[in-house]
Amino acid sequence: GKSGKSGKAIRDRATRAKKTANDKRDAHARAQRTLTELEGKHKDVTKWLSTFFGPNMELAHMVGECYKLTVEQYAYEVCPFGDAKQDTTRLGTMQPVDVNDPRTMVFNGGERCWNGPARSITVSLRCGGGGNRLADVEEPSRCEYAAKLYTPAACDPGEVDALERELAEMEEEARAAIGAPHDEL
């Protein structure tokens, strides 16, 4: 009779209430994950806004980029504003760029050498065209590496003018070598 119906009604209400509570718990968990993700993004943006990328922001394009070079059996990878490594061995994390020396990137705090210092690498930025290119990796002292990164970002206006003049001369020489007509002044 009657008590069976009211018992079913109570069970149905309890089931609906449980489902509503679970849905609200899931929604809260999703909102919590979104909040955590946004807080992380805010922290990243704040960090990047306070990062010195050179006097004219010329190094900012290197964020998230990595440059590689293989020397003998070793593969080096340098990620400006991130980490550097030799194969799978960490050479360190990049330190903030020194306002007085924006052409040097120092990565330190890498894996310790056996009976030696923590590994590090100092990367000197040099003026160069054709994109960014890692070169000349060496180990001047045990577990302390040095390299050059050729990049247009390291060129001052005088160097750009000199490179453009050099390129124009090379193009002129190439035209002369193949006997092509050249521009008359």
Side-chain angles (χ1 to χ4, degrees):
K2 191 174 182 205
S3 67
K5 266 193 175 166
S6 67
K8 181 178 179 346
I10 290 171
R11 280 193 306 276
D12 289 350
R13 274 183 47 216
T15 301
R16 282 195 304 276
K18 200 184 265 182
K19 182 182 178 342
T20 300
N22 285 336
D23 289 349
K24 292 200 180 302
R25 195 175 309 115
D26 291 348
H28 178 265
R30 280 194 304 276
Q32 194 65 50
R33 280 194 302 273
T34 301
L35 176 61
T36 301
E37 193 179 299
L38 289 172
E39 285 171 342
K41 285 181 180 173
H42 178 265
K43 191 175 158 218
D44 289 348
V45 166
T46 304
K47 175 187 157 210
W48 291 127
L49 285 174
S50 65
T51 299
F52 177 68
F53 292 112
N56 302 301
M57 295 290 289
E58 63 273 19
L59 307 178
H61 74 281
M62 294 181 176
V63 170
E65 297 294 320
C66 294
Y67 309 105
K68 297 177 175 144
L69 178 68
T70 300
V71 179
E72 292 160 16
Q73 75 269 32
Y74 298 108
Y76 293 91
E77 181 179 62
V78 170
C79 305
F81 305 99
D83 292 325
K85 60 189 184 185
Q86 175 196 57
D87 299 318
T88 58
T89 303
R90 275 183 21 80
L91 298 180
T93 299
M94 187 171 150
Q95 302 309 295
V97 175
D98 183 339
V99 177
N100 299 312
D101 186 13
R103 298 289 174 259
T104 302
M105 292 180 172
V106 175
F107 295 77
N108 60 27
E111 290 177 36
R112 282 214 159 290
C113 272
W114 189 77
N115 277 345
R119 288 176 174 84
S120 64
I121 185 168
T122 300
V123 179
S124 301
L125 303 184
R126 297 283 191 260
C127 176
N132 300 321
R133 184 173 53 81
L134 188 63
D136 305 331
V137 177
E138 47 191 32
E139 191 177 0
S141 59
R142 187 159 169 259
C143 301
E144 294 176 1
Y145 301 84
K148 293 184 181 78
L149 180 61
Y150 289 92
T151 173
C155 300
D156 64 41
E159 289 172 307
V160 172
D161 291 345
L163 286 172
E164 285 174 348
R165 278 194 307 277
E166 188 180 333
L167 180 61
E169 288 169 14
M170 288 166 63
E171 287 171 347
E172 187 63 34
E173 288 170 16
R175 276 195 295 274
I178 59 172
H182 55 275
D183 298 333
E184 294 295 333
L185 294 179

